[in-house]
Every structure is written in C-alpha cells, then in structure tokens.
C-alpha cells in the first residue's frame, strides 16, 4: 500500500504543480463562467428576460475541453519518465512497473475528478443564478462520473501514444491529430456517404437528439463525449426516448446544396449501452497496450 | 552473507549492431568498495543497468546479493541503492519530499521516513535546502541528492554510476568523503568511474573494462604490485648509439627500448632491479652513463596501455 501511495503522491504533486494543468483548468473555468455570463449580459442589454432552464446544470462541458484535460494530465505522465531519464531511478526502486502504471492512472482520475467537481460546483451555482432553480441537482455525481468516463477515452489515447513513443510532444500532437482526423473523417463520411452512425462509434459528441416529452426541450448528444449527460438522463428517466436527427446525404445538384436529414427514436437505454460500450472498447485495449509497453520498456538512455 | 555481492558470467548485451557488453565475468566481493573502470563507451553504464534489471541481457547470468536475475526482482531491489550517471530527479518535488516518497516505496513507517530524510539530507549537506524544489538545485546539489536517495532503505549494496561526473573539485572531494562514509558502514559499494585517481583513492578492488570486456581485475594493492613489476628505466647517455640500443634490446627482461635525444627509455617486462644489468650492458657497448632513473608506472598509465592494447 505504501508503494502505491508513494507513486500516487508523486503524481498528484506533479500534476497540481504543473503549469499546463493549472492553465487549462483556469481557461476552462473562464469559458465555463463566460457561457453563463455572456447570455445573461446579452439578454440584459436587449431588455429581455433570460429563459429559465431547469436542466442547465446537467450539461457536460464540450468534448474538446475533456480532451484538453486528458492532454494536460496524461501527456507527461508516462512519456516524461523516459524522456527526462527519471525512469532510471524510479524503476530501480522496489516497486513493480504495473503498480507504478496503476498509480499513475488512478492519480490521473483523482486529478480529473477534482477538476470536474470544481467545474460542476461553479456550473451549479451559475445555473441557479442565471437560469433559475435547477432540477435534479442531486444527480451531479452521476454527471461527473460520465464526464470522467468520457475523458478516460481521450486519456487512454494519450497514455497509449505516450508509452509507445516515449515522447510528450508525440503524445499531445498525436492525440490532437487523431481527434482532428476523426472529426474530419466522421464529418465527410456522414455528410457525403450517409454513414452518420459512425459518429456514435468513435470518441466524439456523436449525433444530436432531443429527449422526448421534456419542457423546455432537453437536447442530448449520443456520443462518448456526452456520457455525463447520457448517464444523468438514464438515471432521471430510464424509459426516456430520444429523437435523434442525423445527416443521410447532401444534394449537391442544388444551389446551395441541401443537406438531407432523417430522424429516429432511440431509447435512452440503447444510447447508454452503446456509448458505454464504445468508451470501454477504446479505453480498455489502449490502456492494456500502454501497460504492456510500459512494463517491457528497457531503459537505454 | 554471500561471498560476492555481484557476480556475472558471460554477460552480454547487444544493441542492434553494437555489442555494449561482451561476455563480461564480474565479481564484486561483499563488503568491498569496488571500482569499475573504463573509458567512455566501455559498457560500464550498460552493465549497471543490466545488474538493476533496467535492461535485459542477450546472454549470460547475473547474481546480485546471492540471487539469480539481480535487480529484476523487487525484493533484491529493496536491498540495492542506485545513483545513475548525472541523476535526473523529479524537478517538481522538494528535496525532502523526494526522499520521503522514496522512503514510502521502501516501506518505511512515517516517522522513520521523515527521520531518514532528515539524516540523509544532513549527510549530503542539503539540510538548509530541504524545502526547496529540486528544479532550483545546482548540478552539484542534485548529484548529492542523488547520492542521498541511493541510501534510502539502508541498502546492503550501493551502485554509483560516475558519482563525480560534472562536479567541481570541491564537490568531488565532498562526494568522495560521502562514499568513504558509506563504505565505512559495512556496505558493498560498486562504483563506476573513468577517473583513475578517484578509484585509487576510494576503492579497495577494481575491474577495468573496455569495449564491454574485462581487461584486468583485482585488489588495488595487487594491481599496484603488478604495476611495480613492470618498470621503466630512463638512462641519460653522453651519446646514444645503435650498438647500445641493440645491446639493450638483447636483454631478456627488456620489452622495448625507445631513443629520445641523448636518452634511452627501457621498458621492462619482468620484476626486479635491473639497473646494474643495464649499466653493464651500456658500458660494454661503449656508452657513457650520465644519469639513470627508474620510473614506476601508475594506474593511469597501465589503464591507458590496456585500453590502447585493445583499440
């Protein structure tokens, strides 16, 4: 236990003292605050009353923020031990590499949890102040769990690239590349090929839908990025139905081209199972490969 | 307690086309301070990494503290302290934090961790910088902290890779003092260095390697004795002639004769005092001796010759 605790402390101190992490937390906090304050100011200046939204506190941060957190926490965690030569001393200590890896992963989750709890508390307070009384605030822990799972998908990509390349830069840029590459591929295939469903099977926001029977309408994305919202929704109403709208093609024969949509009603249970399944399908193999590579790496430099 | 703290047989490590360690047989007697000498690129660091399990050997066996596999085993690593060449320490930690975290890895209780960190920081002269981040330490201070972390958990075997590298003369003296203190506590110290003077001052035993192979090994007194057996005699003559050189080369204890102006340098391959034989031979060849000096070769010259012999 002492060994695990030692590495956990090592990682936590490292991350909380990391300027990168502090900067990203501050940026996300600032954006979070602005998303509440700007509509309020706009409504105020236009002389209109802002529309009450009892579900506002249950929305996940945008997927890109989750990705940024994953980068900030994960990009150095594995690779920098090798890059900076610290692994030489660490691996000569009486602790298994598996335990080091596990402690690093757990530390990353703890750090993300702390960050998300801070964001959630601020989000709740601002939602209440700007959008009026909030429903289901009791489900905040579920929301945070979902956001954590969503971030874990990106974190596993960053860990994987970091342990394979032993380079923080490759871990960060490679992850960006994958994110952008997936975004473009999914967009092109969805718009021009009629394969919009692919968005639900890669780390992304997925497709957009609306939970039926809610007033005001509660929008819900179906991808892994929105696992926070999806898990909250299934806990609130396990029998909810979601009207999902997706692109089926584009008619480029007309000017301007017309995007063709279709919609489908999917149960929240199916959406949840699929999003969780996709999240684990990426996370588990990538973490497993990272762990194997981490264990087997020779310290040549 | 086992006779040898470290024992390798035919140890080899190959990186692509480069053989870093080539069939190395190494024996480090328990309780000694053993110097591991060799020029840069000789395979010292690779050997140490193999001992610690940081690298996997291509061939051969390793026994550390009596156990097969050496540092591959966690329970053996518990009994080893290691300081790498120019130790890279976690810059984001404070000196005290580093030692306490590593103490936790060694399973030390909280009080013991704290006491041990305090004692080690004092030993390496960093007590007043204990609460500073390592990022703000000088190179010498990092080196000393590297030495301190190698002593956490009271290891039986301390492996130090070039502990004086990058230090100024004062720092080198301080580090030597610390190593002497460590060894006086009864630990086995295995110390790699390319500084012969350092090894001669601290170590009781030495192994010289080059290109991954062992050149020579033994206790320092034995090696010095061996060295004294192969002396160099310099004779200043009124005039050096070919006859004199030829006559000297004919002596059975002479390995080589070099002419340098009015001097001849005679390299002896055997033990003994040959001054009388040399004088007689020179006189018989018609030479006139003005002066004669016997130079004993030091460890450095032997080291250079050994290295040269293999290159």
């Amino acid at each position: 236990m002492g060994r695990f605790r030692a590495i956990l402390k090592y990682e936590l101190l490292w991350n909380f003292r990391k300027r990168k992490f502090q900067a990203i937390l501050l940026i996300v906090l600032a954006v979070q605050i602005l998303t509440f304050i700007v509509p309020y100011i706009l409504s105020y200046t236009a002389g209109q009353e802002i529309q009450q939204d009892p579900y506002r506190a249950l929305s996940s941060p945008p997927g890109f923020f989750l990705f940024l957190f994953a980068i900030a926490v994960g990009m150095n965690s594995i690779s920098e031990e090798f890059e900076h030569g610290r692994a030489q001393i660490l691996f000569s200590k009486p602790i298994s590499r598996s335990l080091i890896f596990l402690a690093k992963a757990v530390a990353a989750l703890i750090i993300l949890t702390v960050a998300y709890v801070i964001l959630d508390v601020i989000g709740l307070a601002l939602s209440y102040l700007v959008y009026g009384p909030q429903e289901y605030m009791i489900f905040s822990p579920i929301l945070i769990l979902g956001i954590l799972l969503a971030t874990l998908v990106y974190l596993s990509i960053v860990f994987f690239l970091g342990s394979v390349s032993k380079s923080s830069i490759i871990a960060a840029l490679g992850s960006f590349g994958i994110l952008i590459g997936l975004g473009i591929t999914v967009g092109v295939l969805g718009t021009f090929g009629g394969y919009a469903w692919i968005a639900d099977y890669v780390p992304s926001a997925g497709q957009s839908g609306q939970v039926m029977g809610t007033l005001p309408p509660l929008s819900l994305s179906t991808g892994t990025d929105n696992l926070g919202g999806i898990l909250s929704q299934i806990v609130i109403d396990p029998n909810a139905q979601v009207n999902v709208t997706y692109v089926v093609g584009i008619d480029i024969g007309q000017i301007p081209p017309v995007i063709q949509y279709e919609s489908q009603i999917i149960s929240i249970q199916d959406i949840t199972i699929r999003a969780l399944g996709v999240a684990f399908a990426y996370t588990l193999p990538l973490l497993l490969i990272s762990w194997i590579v981490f264990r087997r790496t020779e310290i040549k430099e | 307690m086992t006779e040898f703290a470290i024992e390798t047989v035919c140890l080899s490590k190959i990186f692509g086309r480069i053989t870093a360690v080539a069939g190395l047989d190494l024996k480090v007697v328990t309780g000694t301070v053993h110097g591991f000498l060799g020029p840069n690129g000789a395979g010292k660091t690779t050997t140490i990494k193999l001992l610690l399990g940081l690298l996997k050997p291509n061939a051969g066996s390793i026994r550390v503290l009596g156990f097969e596999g050496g540092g591959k085993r966690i329970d053996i690593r518990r009994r080893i302290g290691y300081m790498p060449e120019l130790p890279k320490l976690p810059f984001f930690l404070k000196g005290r934090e580093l030692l306490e975290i590593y103490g936790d890895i060694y399973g030390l209780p909280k009080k013991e961790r704290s006491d041990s960190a305090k004692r080690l920081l004092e030993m390496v002269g960093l007590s007043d910088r204990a609460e500073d981040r390592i990022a703000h330490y000088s190179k010498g201070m990092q080196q000393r902290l590297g030495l301190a972390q190698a002593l956490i958990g009271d290891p039986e075997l301390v492996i130090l890779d070039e502990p004086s590298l990058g230090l100024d003369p004062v720092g080198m003296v301080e580090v030597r003092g610390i190593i002497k203190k460590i060894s006086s506590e009864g630990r086995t110290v295995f110390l790699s260095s390319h500084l012969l003077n350092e090894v001669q001052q601290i170590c009781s035993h030495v192994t010289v390697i080059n290109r991954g192979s062992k050149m020579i090994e033994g206790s320092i007194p034995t090696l010095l004795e061996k060295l004294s057996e192969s002396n160099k005699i310099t004779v200043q003559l009124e005039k050096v002639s070919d006859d004199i050189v030829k006559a000297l080369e004919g002596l059975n204890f002479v390995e080589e004769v070099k002419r340098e102006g009015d001097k001849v340098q005679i390299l002896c391959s055997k033990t003994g005092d040959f001054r009388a034989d040399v004088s007689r031979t020179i006189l018989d060849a018609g030479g006139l001796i003005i002066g004669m000096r016997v130079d004993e070769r030091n460890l450095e010259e032997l080291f250079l010759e050994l290295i040269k012999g293999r290159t």
Side-chain angles (χ1 to χ4, degrees):
Chain A
M1 187 59 197
R3 290 168 180 167
F4 182 78
R5 183 182 51 212
I7 301 298
L8 207 58
K9 186 176 176 188
Y10 172 94
E11 282 291 308
L12 291 176
L13 285 172
W14 183 8
N15 274 286
F16 285 123
R17 287 173 184 173
K18 227 190 272 181
R19 294 250 162 83
K20 241 178 295 185
F21 178 74
Q22 293 165 358
I24 287 176
L25 185 60
L26 283 177
I27 290 169
V28 175
L29 267 176
V31 173
Q32 169 95 324
I33 292 167
L34 283 175
T35 56
F36 287 97
I37 289 179
V38 170
Y40 180 78
I41 293 172
L42 290 176
S43 304
Y44 184 80
T45 49
Q48 293 171 348
E49 203 168 301
I50 201 157
Q51 195 182 357
Q52 299 285 291
D53 182 355
Y55 312 119
R56 185 64 178 77
L58 282 182
S59 52
S60 293
F64 187 67
F65 285 164
L66 309 184
F67 176 75
L68 280 183
F69 272 121
I71 292 272
V73 174
M75 71 177 274
N76 309 104
S77 184
I78 302 286
S79 52
E80 210 174 277
E81 296 293 352
F82 300 101
E83 226 171 9
H84 285 199
R86 294 198 297 264
Q88 257 188 76
I89 293 182
L90 188 60
F91 290 178
S92 73
K93 298 292 175 201
I95 180 167
S96 74
R97 292 193 194 184
S98 299
L99 201 58
I100 295 175
F101 187 86
L102 180 69
K104 279 177 176 287
V106 172
L109 285 179
I110 292 174
I111 293 153
L112 291 170
T113 307
V114 171
Y116 292 152
V117 166
I118 294 171
L119 284 174
D120 190 59
V121 168
I122 292 173
L124 276 175
L126 289 172
S127 297
Y128 192 89
L129 287 173
V130 178
Y131 295 99
Q134 296 293 300
E135 299 276 343
Y136 312 121
M137 288 200 328
I138 197 146
F139 295 121
S140 275
I142 303 288
L143 178 77
I144 292 170
L145 175 72
I147 299 171
L148 271 176
L149 287 174
T151 315
L152 200 56
V153 178
Y154 292 117
L155 191 68
S156 61
I157 295 173
V158 180
F159 264 31
F160 168 75
L161 290 175
S163 58
V164 170
S165 69
K166 318 279 182 295
S167 159
S168 308
I169 297 292
I170 292 177
L173 293 182
S175 307
F176 264 112
I178 290 172
L179 184 78
I180 293 166
L182 281 176
I184 294 170
T185 310
V186 166
V188 169
L189 287 177
T191 311
F192 297 102
Y195 299 108
W197 53 268
I198 287 178
D200 286 325
Y201 294 92
V202 294
S204 71
Q207 300 176 80
S208 25
Q210 251 178 26
V211 180
M212 295 170 76
T214 52
L215 267 177
L218 175 59
S219 58
L220 187 102
S221 305
T222 57
T224 55
D225 282 358
N226 191 38
L227 262 167
I230 294 171
L231 289 185
S232 304
Q233 186 56 49
I234 197 170
V235 172
I236 293 166
D237 180 7
N239 298 314
Q241 299 287 313
V242 182
N243 188 8
V244 179
T245 310
Y246 50 93
V247 177
V248 288
I250 182 165
D251 185 354
I252 50 173
Q254 296 187 45
I255 299 170
V258 176
I259 298 172
Q260 295 157 340
Y261 294 94
E262 272 184 17
S263 63
Q264 188 186 359
I265 293 169
I266 309 174
S267 75
I268 188 69
Q269 291 172 11
D270 288 346
I271 290 172
T272 307
I273 290 167
R274 186 176 57 201
L276 281 175
V278 170
F280 287 122
Y282 282 94
T283 306
L284 296 179
L286 287 174
L287 284 180
L288 183 71
I289 297 168
S290 309
W291 168 65
I292 291 169
V293 172
F294 186 76
R295 275 191 64 203
R296 297 172 67 93
T297 300
E298 289 193 300
I299 310 297
K300 291 177 185 164
E301 297 302 321
Chain B
M1 194 180 277
T2 54
E3 187 186 353
F4 299 112
I6 298 171
E7 199 178 354
T8 70
V9 180
C10 285
L11 187 63
S12 295
K13 180 67 189 175
I14 299 163
F15 296 112
R17 289 181 185 171
I18 298 163
T19 304
V21 179
L24 182 68
D25 294 327
L26 177 68
K27 282 189 170 81
V28 175
V29 178
T30 302
T32 59
V33 181
H34 195 111
F36 194 39
L37 269 173
N40 292 331
K44 302 185 297 284
T45 299
T46 303
T47 304
I48 287 174
K49 286 181 180 175
L50 288 165
L51 295 174
L52 290 160
L54 299 174
L55 289 173
K56 292 169 199 136
N58 293 94
S61 68
I62 299 169
R63 282 178 84 83
V64 176
L65 299 169
F67 289 91
E68 203 66 42
K72 270 198 307 195
R73 297 172 50 146
I74 291 178
D75 56 335
I76 295 304
R77 291 209 297 273
R78 171 72 183 77
R79 296 159 65 192
I80 303 174
Y82 164 59
M83 181 181 107
E85 183 181 342
L86 298 173
K88 312 288 189 313
L89 300 163
F91 57 88
F92 50 88
L93 294 177
K94 298 169 182 172
R96 174 192 52 77
E97 283 173 346
L98 176 85
L99 297 184
E100 288 189 358
I101 285 173
Y102 284 169
D104 210 3
I105 293 177
Y106 278 82
L108 302 181
K110 196 176 178 188
K111 170 91 170 63
E112 207 178 315
R113 278 204 302 270
S114 161
D115 291 349
S116 168
K118 208 182 265 180
R119 184 177 52 81
L120 289 169
L121 285 167
E122 203 176 307
M123 181 180 171
V124 297
L126 289 174
S127 294
D128 54 337
R129 302 295 300 269
E131 296 304 321
D132 288 349
R133 296 254 181 103
I134 295 168
H136 302 136
Y137 282 17
S138 69
K139 200 189 265 182
M141 288 160 80
Q142 291 191 24
Q143 198 92 337
R144 281 186 277 156
L145 187 63
L147 206 50
Q149 66 76 31
L151 299 174
I152 292 167
D154 205 12
E156 292 164 49
L157 169 65
V158 180
I159 298 177
L160 307 172
D161 194 358
E162 301 275 8
S164 302
L165 200 67
L167 293 180
D168 60 22
V170 178
M172 284 164 92
V173 171
E174 283 173 358
V175 165
R176 271 178 218 153
I178 296 167
I179 296 169
K180 280 179 186 168
K181 191 170 183 310
I182 298 167
S183 64
S184 70
E185 290 166 352
R187 301 176 218 271
T188 308
V189 180
F190 183 61
L191 162 94
S192 96
S193 179
H194 65 279
L195 302 171
L196 296 137
N197 187 32
E198 177 175 79
V199 169
Q200 219 163 336
Q201 283 184 48
I202 308 173
C203 301
S204 55
H205 292 67
V206 68
T207 298
V208 180
I209 69 160
N210 189 30
R211 296 193 169 193
S213 300
K214 184 171 69 184
M215 314 290 295
I216 195 168
E217 70 176 347
S219 68
I220 296 277
T222 312
L223 284 180
L224 291 174
E225 199 179 310
K226 273 189 190 167
L227 289 170
S228 67
E229 288 170 1
S230 48
N231 296 331
K232 196 164 67 184
I233 302 171
T234 307
V235 187
Q236 188 176 5
L237 300 164
E238 190 192 42
K239 191 184 172 195
V240 181
S241 68
D242 290 344
D243 290 342
I244 294 170
V245 173
K246 213 170 179 181
L248 288 170
E249 282 173 344
L251 294 169
N252 65 355
F253 56 83
V254 171
E255 193 179 302
E256 194 186 353
V257 178
K258 283 184 197 165
R259 286 172 76 152
E260 278 179 18
D262 60 350
K263 288 178 190 163
V264 282
Q265 268 191 358
I266 304 150
L267 192 66
C268 304
S269 59
K270 288 184 180 173
T271 183
D273 185 354
F274 300 113
R275 283 175 295 183
D277 300 86
V278 168
S279 300
R280 201 176 311 117
T281 307
I282 291 171
L283 292 172
D284 289 350
L288 184 62
I289 298 169
I290 293 171
M292 186 184 289
R293 195 179 73 230
V294 177
D295 302 314
E296 284 189 357
R297 279 188 292 173
N298 60 18
L299 197 55
E300 190 164 311
E301 279 177 303
L302 175 76
F303 178 65
L304 290 172
E305 274 174 31
L306 285 169
I307 304 306
K308 219 169 131 188
R310 282 290 184 106
T311 50

